[in-house]
Amino acid sequence: MMLLHESNTQKYRQLLIVLIVLFLLSPFLKAGIGSVISDVLLLSSIILIVRSLTLSRRLLFIYIAIASLAFSLQLNINLGWDPSLNQAFDLMFQTVLSLYIGGAAYLIGREILKAPKITADIVQGGISVYLLIGFAWALFYGIVATLDPNAFSQSLLIQDAHIKAFHFSFTTLTTLGYGDIVPVSEFALVLTNLEAIIGQIYPAVFMAVLVGGYLGHRSH
């Protein structure tokens, strides 16, 4: 019982560790065994996301089914079972996973806002949501680049690697804006602006929640 309680109180820390590892290793996990490792890390993060949410049995089943579908599609791409369908499978994979990660970020964020007490695990959960937003938008950009290779000034997908999409997503989310890659199509422009807006609003709201929770705890 004590181990179960400890796991529940540190659920977001586990998720954050996996996301950071996946983020740091993304430049090296491109093909062959690297892709397999990436898939395992991705599946692990998805499982941790599911575990971290308070969901009904039906919604939990749907999330697990979506996670399994995304992993199966990516595995098919990496193993090259049918190269002629790789682009279709990649597009399906990006769509399924982006919606799944985006939904998870929303649900985790909602749970954090309802937390009765601000703990270290809640802070780690808030950071995890921020990283999930960046990952989700990288997949959104990958979808746009797959459908329209000229949507950005540079190709975001090189040999099925998404490192440039991740780079562009997080420089946009943090509003750092190196300017090495810029959106060209109208849809890419709107998508980029939306991520930049979220990148400004989310930290402000999260900090307000932390400060409010801290002050409320001190008053008691």
Side-chain angles (χ1 to χ4, degrees):
M1 291 295 292
M2 184 178 297
L3 292 176
L4 179 60
H5 175 71
E6 182 179 356
S7 176
N8 287 336
T9 57
Q10 297 180 354
K11 57 184 178 181
Y12 294 128
R13 182 172 70 176
Q14 301 173 46
L15 173 59
L16 180 59
I17 290 173
V18 171
L19 290 174
I20 291 176
V21 169
L22 185 60
F23 181 82
L24 294 177
L25 294 182
S26 58
F28 310 102
L29 305 178
K30 294 182 179 180
I33 188 64
S35 295
V36 176
I37 294 174
S38 178
D39 289 339
V40 172
L41 287 173
L42 184 60
L43 182 61
S44 299
S45 65
I46 291 174
I47 292 175
L48 288 171
I49 290 171
V50 172
R51 285 180 55 197
S52 70
L53 302 177
T54 305
L55 303 174
S56 65
R57 183 183 298 270
R58 181 179 179 183
L59 191 55
L60 181 61
F61 175 79
I62 292 174
Y63 258 67
I64 293 176
I66 294 175
S68 301
L69 175 60
F71 181 70
S72 299
L73 290 170
Q74 182 69 343
L75 189 62
N76 178 79
I77 296 170
N78 290 337
L79 296 179
W81 291 339
D82 191 348
S84 64
L85 297 177
N86 271 5
Q87 184 174 6
F89 279 126
D90 193 38
L91 186 59
M92 292 172 60
F93 165 74
Q94 293 178 91
T95 302
V96 171
L97 190 61
S98 62
L99 294 176
Y100 180 73
I101 290 180
Y106 167 75
L107 291 172
I108 294 174
R110 186 179 66 177
E111 186 172 299
I112 288 173
L113 291 177
K114 293 181 179 179
K117 181 180 178 182
I118 301 300
T119 64
D121 194 54
I122 292 298
V123 174
Q124 291 161 353
I127 298 172
S128 296
V129 170
Y130 192 73
L131 292 177
L132 286 172
I133 292 172
F135 276 103
W137 245 265
L139 291 166
F140 291 153
Y141 296 137
I143 295 171
V144 174
T146 301
L147 295 174
D148 181 7
N150 298 316
F152 298 90
S153 59
Q154 294 184 27
S155 175
L156 295 185
L157 303 176
I158 301 177
Q159 297 180 347
D160 297 327
H162 289 71
I163 182 62
K164 281 196 173 183
F166 285 124
H167 160 71
F168 180 69
S169 177
F170 280 97
T171 54
T172 302
L173 183 66
T174 58
T175 64
L176 184 60
Y178 282 125
D180 53 340
I181 304 174
V182 296
V184 176
S185 72
E186 293 181 356
F187 188 77
L189 285 168
V190 172
L191 196 61
T192 303
N193 288 336
L194 183 59
E195 184 181 22
I197 292 171
I198 293 176
Q200 290 290 298
I201 293 177
Y202 176 78
V205 172
F206 183 55
M207 287 301 298
V209 171
L210 290 182
V211 172
Y214 175 74
L215 294 177
H217 179 68
R218 286 192 60 182
S219 66
H220 289 84

